[in-house]
């Protein structure tokens, strides 16, 4: 679920420039007419956080706008997972500062993962932002805005061990009214050596299970047909019920959410191979509305590289996990994240990555070349010694393998019928719908008057490309 130029497949779940939507609150003081514009980068978690921010701003009386030119407050929810993402934010900030030059009262804020690392640079040295707020400090937004309006440095990048925003009802942004994210945990304790997230998002903590179920119920009542439970490492979700002193595991949470509404699909992301349990697989097998799809990033196929990455599993162990999924849920699709050109990676290591992709039969992969992130274990311990052109060549090779694997896999679907949740018109034609199977595969098919977006429909597959299935509706 990442937006990046180096992915071969960009997730449709995320709109690259999701922006705020109008919010109508009768309690708002009519005198107050300030508007905010918010733009999000990075993972689904970040997009979900923007919905928390939107909710906090709405309570303060702010109205949203999708036109940055009419905004009084411009917020960028940033990502720092790869260098490229940081560069994009920089160029956006340059644009917003041009706007500010014409309209000096405007406040510009940087939220999210870049906040901690770049607060000094952006706020004090370059003076290109007025507000810097880290991912655990959004409740402080009203104070911070007041501070910035008073012309002072407005910054809060404190990370928390408890904050889950459990009681804040997200204001859905850029929604199609069909799919929504539910954040179930924050932070990450894994310390993969390439990853900046433990530093930008802090320690792992799980959200109150009942607040998650309540959010799912609310979405179901509003007509949503799909929820995606989000966390950096959902399988290590663990919430202790203070009343009963009983622990709720991720498998139990999945079932609790699945039971809310059997016609509402439940997805989740991301799973760490070391933590996904048989119980989770049984839940997927046993509940029709828990989608038959697991995002199980391998990162590399080489046991030596996996050790350097601190992934805590090796090639054999990962393959056994794939075998187990196939055994318990034979119709489950599996997807992955891959990094090429990690420190010391040889051609043999690279071949092993391509081998494990073939072994795992990924329906989809998000593929990146390694980009060193300041402060990470790898940046401190290993030399970033694979030349950029080699990283890029290897990336293009893994993309080729992924396309082959997905194409072969998709061809096997021809002649079979799948339940598809209709999401809207296809990109190319308003005569066609696009939707997804439980396996998260995109299907395009001619419209039929009986069906509209948000409906389930049975579609028989007639053709397959690496990224898309085509089919026709089977009327029941
Ligand atoms: N360089 C390249 N890719 C990275 N990822 C995380 N950190 C880096 C990095 N430093 C990728 C991993 C992860 C996904 C979210 O982003 O594949 O699973
Ligand atoms: Fe999401 Fe932050 Fe990671 Fe970017 S760095 S992908 S915003 S968690």
């Amino acid at each position: 679920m990442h937006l990046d130029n180096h992915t071969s497949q960009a997730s449709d779940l995320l709109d690259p420039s999701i922006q705020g939507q109008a919010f109508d609150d009768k309690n708002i003081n009519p005198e107050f007419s300030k508007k905010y514009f918010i733009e999000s980068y990075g993972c689904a978690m970040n997009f979900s956080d923007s919905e928390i921010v939107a909710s906090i701003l709405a309570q303060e009386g702010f109205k949203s706008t999708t036109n940055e030119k009419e905004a009084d407050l411009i917020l960028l929810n940033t990502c720092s997972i790869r260098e490229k993402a940081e560069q994009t934010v920089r160029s956006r900030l340059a644009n917003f500062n041009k706007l500010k030059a014409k309209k000096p009262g405007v406040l510009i804020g940087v939220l999210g993962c870049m906040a901690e690392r770049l607060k000094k640079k952006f706020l004090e040295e370059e003076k290109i932002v007025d507000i810097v707020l880290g991912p655990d400090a959004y409740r402080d937004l009203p104070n911070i805005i007041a501070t910035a309006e008073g012309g002072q440095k407005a910054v809060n990048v404190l990370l928390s061990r408890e904050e889950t925003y459990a009681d804040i009802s997200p204001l859905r942004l850029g929604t199609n009214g069909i799919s929504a994210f539910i954040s179930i945990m924050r932070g990450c304790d894994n310390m993969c050596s390439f990853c900046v997230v433990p530093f930008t998002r802090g320690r792992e903590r799980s959200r109150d299970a009942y607040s998650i179920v309540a959010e799912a119920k609310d979405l179901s009542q509003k007509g949503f047909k799909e929820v995606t439970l989000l966390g950096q490492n959902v399988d290590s979700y663990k919430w202790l019920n203070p009343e009963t002193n009983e622990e709720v595991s991720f498998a139990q949470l999945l079932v609790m959410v699945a039971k809310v509404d059997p016609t509402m699909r439940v997805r989740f992301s991301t799973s760490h191979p070391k933590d996904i349990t048989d119980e989770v697989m049984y839940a997927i097998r046993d509940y029709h509305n828990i989608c038959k799809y697991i995002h199980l990033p391998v990162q590399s196929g080489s046991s030596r590289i996996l050790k350097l990455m601190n992934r805590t599993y090796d090639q054999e162990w990962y393959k056994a996990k794939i075998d187990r999924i196939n055994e318990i849920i034979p119709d489950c699709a599996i997807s992955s994240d891959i990094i090429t050109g990690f420190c010391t990676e040889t051609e043999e290591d690279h071949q092993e990555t391509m081998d494990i992709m073939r072994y795992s039969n990924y329906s989809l992969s998000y593929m990146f070349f390694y980009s060193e992130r300041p402060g990470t274990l790898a940046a401190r311990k290993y030399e970033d010694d694979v030349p950029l052109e080699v990283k890029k060549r290897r990336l293009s090779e893994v993309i080729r393998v992924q396309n082959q694997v997905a194409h072969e896999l998709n061809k096997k679907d021809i002649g079979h019928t799948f339940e598809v949740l209709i999401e809207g018109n296809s990109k190319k034609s308003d005569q066609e719908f696009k939707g997804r199977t439980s396996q998260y595969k995109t299907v395009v098919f001619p419209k039929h008057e009986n069906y509209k977006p948000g409906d389930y429909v049975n579609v028989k597959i007639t053709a397959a490309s690496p990224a898309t299935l085509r089919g026709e509706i089977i009327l029941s």
Side-chain angles (χ1 to χ4, degrees), residues 48 145 290 315 329 348 351 380 382 389 427 470:
S48 170
I145 292 171
I290 303 183
Q315 183 196 103
I329 332 158
E348 288 72 38
Q351 288 300 331
R380 282 181 278 135
Y382 313 127
E389 43 319 340
K427 276 189 200 126
R470 296 193 69 84

Side-chain angles (χ1 to χ4, degrees), residues 326-338:
N326 289 332
E327 188 187 327
I328 297 179
I329 332 158
D331 57 343
C332 190
I334 303 170
S335 63
S336 193
D337 291 347
I338 311 258

Side-chain angles (χ1 to χ4, degrees), residues 2 41-43 45-46 78-81 113 196-197 200-201 232:
H2 290 265
Y41 292 89
C43 62
M45 199 74 197
N46 241 18
T78 61
C79 170
S80 55
I81 199 136
C113 290
V196 79
V197 170
T200 60
R201 288 192 163 265
Q232 242 70 45

